[in-house]
Amino acid sequence: QMQLVESGGGLVQAGDSLRLSCTASRRAFDQHAVAWFRQGAGQAREFVATITRSGGSTTYADSVKGRFTISRDNAKNTVYLQMNNLKPEDTAVYYCASKRTILTMPPIVEDGSYEFWGQGTQVTVSS
């Protein structure tokens, strides 16, 4: 069983930056693809970004492309989401999710494909 813990959320102003972290409980995290999803109040959960197990490929939602960067440090069992130029519409609970994959698996954007989920971290962007 893989446990994921998100951190780094908070209250910021529009234009500010935040870096979210997703830390896993086991070394096998380096065999997992990882994604970030978010869910605003009264809204459906939506895909934000994903990174393959090697870190060699990333995919972003159009709404965050050019502003958010996903990366990973497998030595620290951690995936990051650097969020720059935050907007009020980025306000949401951010969740990380992971799935064990083969090395050649392409990026996965469907939330139903992920096996393990964190509890979420709140990001609030004021205007």
Side-chain angles (χ1 to χ4, degrees), residues 65-81:
K65 205 171 291 184
R67 299 187 299 123
F68 291 10
T69 303
I70 189 171
S71 62
R72 68 189 301 160
D73 184 344
N74 285 340
K76 295 183 178 179
N77 291 352
T78 300
V79 168
Y80 303 99
L81 184 69

Side-chain angles (χ1 to χ4, degrees), residues 49-63:
T50 186
I51 188 166
T52 53
R53 58 180 267 181
S54 69
S57 183
T58 57
T59 301
Y60 298 91
D62 287 343
S63 59

Side-chain angles (χ1 to χ4, degrees), residues 12-65:
V12 297
Q13 294 185 329
D16 286 349
S17 298
L18 279 175
R19 188 178 77 160
L20 305 183
S21 299
C22 172
T23 301
S25 59
R26 294 173 56 203
R27 282 294 281 133
F29 196 52
D30 61 1
Q31 299 174 27
H32 285 226
V34 180
W36 287 94
F37 293 85
R38 67 186 182 186
Q39 188 167 20
Q43 298 179 4
R45 185 165 59 193
E46 65 173 350
F47 167 77
V48 175
T50 186
I51 188 166
T52 53
R53 58 180 267 181
S54 69
S57 183
T58 57
T59 301
Y60 298 91
D62 287 343
S63 59
V64 307
K65 205 171 291 184

